[in-house]
Amino acid sequence: MPSPMPEPVPVSIQSPASTSSPNAFSHWPRHRAGASLRIDLGAIADNYRLLRQKVGAGTTCAAVVKADAYGLGLAQVAPALERAGADHFYVAHLEEGIALRRHVAPTVRIFVLHGPLPETEEEFVAHGLTPVLNSMEQIAGWRALARRENRVLPAVIQLDTGMSRFGLSMSDVRTIADDATLLEGIDPCLIISHLACADTPDNPANAQQRAQLIRMAALLPPAPLALSASSGIFLGPDYHFDMVRPGAALYGIAPNETAPNPLRPVVKLSARILQIRDIAPGDGVGYGLTYRATRPRRIATIGAGYADGCLRQGAGHGAAWFGEIRLPILGRISMDSITIDITDVPEGQLAPDMGVDLLGPHHDVDAAARAAGTIGYEILTSLGHRYHRTYVAGG
Ligand SMILES: *Cc1c(COP(=O)(O)O)cnc(C)c1O
């Protein structure tokens, strides 16, 4: 079966010390890519430790690494999280679980959120994966495997407490409460649900879902409970239960807009300047000539485009940065390039082959998302595979 993970482009590992310079272009000559993505594994580890500390010792802090660790590279990110102390991981699909198993210790618990597709139950056992059972059909399939193998098999049970996406309904739970044989051979090691509105702390849906989880779980065999992903952790201890499962926060995305982001930024994306030119009033830029200069401008074309995850939608409000200087995007974003306004950069400071930041200290993932009318999750999971990737090691 083909691997779901594209093979990463060449990767190099730097020590944290070698990245101190804010505009370190020294590595550019060593690769041929149009842009360079630096992923700080130390920041991911710090974010994990901060979240774990926030929930306290009575709550397990799992780590969500679905979608290739939110686009940042499962093979590098999962071991870094394991070194930081994570020993419970979540992925979405069976394929992702199989891939993750190769990168973490056999004792690490891997939960697969979507549970088994029909006839895939054996593969969960073969790869040491624990399914999340979301429906009566998945429960029946898991029970049938337990019966065939004549043993008790652990599984997570997900309850739908109001999001209408995954999990057993209240009527499913009542059916199980009335017929204990439906769970025969299944050890419910954890009962989970998922919040729809955790990023808006004042939303009454949060408390309603929490109350519904408690009501529904009371009808099932006793098991540890879990409700919160990243944003839910910041709703307070009432939402921590026995386990939390952050993803986005590990990767630096703000848990909500109501408080400053306590997490460390993880990615820095620098694009190479391919060409610089001066344009005159009246000159147009890019497809459709949607930008027209009203006064003389110095512009640069840089080596990343929508094929690299620079969303076309971000053109109107987006920018690159050179140090403290904002460089607005001009006109439309092309597949492989973006044109930016570098008029404000003092003469001689930028030249072809130098880099400007698309994601960095002045423009984090959440800011890029706001400019493109989306969320940080989509920015990260859209990050392209043409970038030269550099991982900063961290303890
Ligand atoms: C993706 C996902 C998470 C992680 O969510 P974040 O908002 O990224 O922290 C947790 N639980 C479930 C069920 C998910 O689908």
Side-chain angles (χ1 to χ4, degrees), residues 203-287:
N203 198 311
N206 294 320
Q208 285 160 11
Q209 284 197 266
R210 179 181 181 276
Q212 184 70 350
L213 172 64
I214 292 168
R215 261 194 304 272
M216 292 173 82
L219 299 172
L220 293 171
L225 299 183
L227 179 60
S228 287
S230 298
S231 302
I233 293 172
F234 293 84
L235 295 176
D238 280 356
Y239 289 81
H240 295 167
F241 291 99
D242 300 295
M243 183 190 284
V244 293
R245 34 171 216 283
L250 298 172
Y251 312 114
I253 292 175
N256 57 53
E257 287 180 4
T258 54
N261 186 357
L263 301 152
R264 284 188 61 194
V266 166
V267 294
K268 184 170 190 289
L269 175 61
S270 305
R272 192 195 289 268
I273 293 179
L274 300 173
Q275 201 168 5
I276 291 177
R277 73 180 69 243
D278 293 302
I279 60 171
D283 288 350
V285 174
Y287 284 117

Side-chain angles (χ1 to χ4, degrees), residues 64 66 70 90 92 113-114 158 165-166 192-194 227-231 245-251 253 377:
V64 180
K66 60 193 183 187
Y70 289 50
Y90 284 83
L113 286 164
H114 290 185
Q158 176 149 221
R165 190 177 70 163
F166 287 111
I192 71 168
S193 189
H194 192 58
L227 179 60
S228 287
S230 298
S231 302
R245 34 171 216 283
L250 298 172
Y251 312 114
I253 292 175
Y377 297 67

Side-chain angles (χ1 to χ4, degrees), residues 273 276-279 285 291-302 318-322 325-331 338-345 350 356:
I273 293 179
I276 291 177
R277 73 180 69 243
D278 293 302
I279 60 171
V285 174
Y291 173 82
R292 279 207 187 266
T294 52
R295 52 201 166 106
R297 306 268 85 185
R298 166 156 286 205
I299 68 175
T301 302
I302 59 177
W321 290 78
F322 177 65
I325 306 174
R326 186 175 186 274
L327 313 171
I329 293 173
L330 299 181
I338 296 174
T339 305
I340 55 173
D341 186 345
I342 61 167
T343 313
D344 289 346
V345 178
L350 275 180
V356 294

Side-chain angles (χ1 to χ4, degrees), residues 1-290:
M1 208 174 280
S3 155
M5 307 303 170
E7 282 304 313
V9 289
V11 147
S12 50
I13 303 270
Q14 294 179 353
S15 73
S18 69
T19 60
S20 50
S21 149
N23 278 300
F25 303 120
S26 51
H27 59 282
W28 284 102
R30 285 198 276 117
H31 69 77
R32 304 186 182 94
S36 163
L37 179 67
R38 203 190 77 175
I39 297 161
D40 188 342
L41 298 174
I44 294 176
D46 280 350
N47 289 339
Y48 174 77
R49 286 185 284 257
L50 182 140
L51 296 166
R52 187 178 57 189
Q53 197 180 359
K54 182 139 186 93
V55 298
T59 298
T60 301
C61 189
V64 180
V65 292
K66 60 193 183 187
D68 199 25
Y70 289 50
L72 301 184
L74 182 72
Q76 290 80 16
V77 170
L81 285 164
E82 190 184 3
R83 284 192 297 275
D87 54 7
H88 292 73
F89 286 81
Y90 284 83
V91 293
H93 298 285
L94 171 59
E95 283 283 12
E96 295 179 327
I98 294 171
L100 173 58
R101 184 43 87 202
R102 294 199 295 270
H103 300 298
V104 292
T107 49
V108 163
R109 204 77 185 257
I110 300 174
F111 301 115
V112 178
L113 286 164
H114 290 185
L117 300 171
E119 323 265 294
T120 62
E121 289 86 1
E122 272 90 356
E123 293 189 72
F124 280 76
V125 175
H127 295 279
L129 308 173
T130 306
V132 175
L133 304 178
N134 296 296
S135 66
M136 297 302 269
E137 292 73 22
Q138 287 187 331
I139 287 177
W142 199 242
R143 188 180 74 143
L145 178 64
R147 187 181 301 146
R148 282 199 300 283
E149 302 214 337
N150 195 25
R151 59 184 173 132
V152 174
L153 296 174
V156 178
I157 294 182
Q158 176 149 221
L159 306 178
D160 172 29
T161 56
M163 191 176 179
S164 310
R165 190 177 70 163
F166 287 111
L168 306 184
S169 66
M170 184 54 120
S171 110
D172 293 333
V173 167
R174 291 216 175 88
T175 304
I176 292 171
D178 289 344
D179 181 359
T181 66
L182 292 172
L183 288 183
E184 226 163 43
I186 299 178
D187 165 28
C189 61
L190 181 69
I191 293 174
I192 71 168
S193 189
H194 192 58
L195 293 167
C197 305
D199 59 339
T200 50
D202 294 337
N203 198 311
N206 294 320
Q208 285 160 11
Q209 284 197 266
R210 179 181 181 276
Q212 184 70 350
L213 172 64
I214 292 168
R215 261 194 304 272
M216 292 173 82
L219 299 172
L220 293 171
L225 299 183
L227 179 60
S228 287
S230 298
S231 302
I233 293 172
F234 293 84
L235 295 176
D238 280 356
Y239 289 81
H240 295 167
F241 291 99
D242 300 295
M243 183 190 284
V244 293
R245 34 171 216 283
L250 298 172
Y251 312 114
I253 292 175
N256 57 53
E257 287 180 4
T258 54
N261 186 357
L263 301 152
R264 284 188 61 194
V266 166
V267 294
K268 184 170 190 289
L269 175 61
S270 305
R272 192 195 289 268
I273 293 179
L274 300 173
Q275 201 168 5
I276 291 177
R277 73 180 69 243
D278 293 302
I279 60 171
D283 288 350
V285 174
Y287 284 117
L289 304 177
T290 55

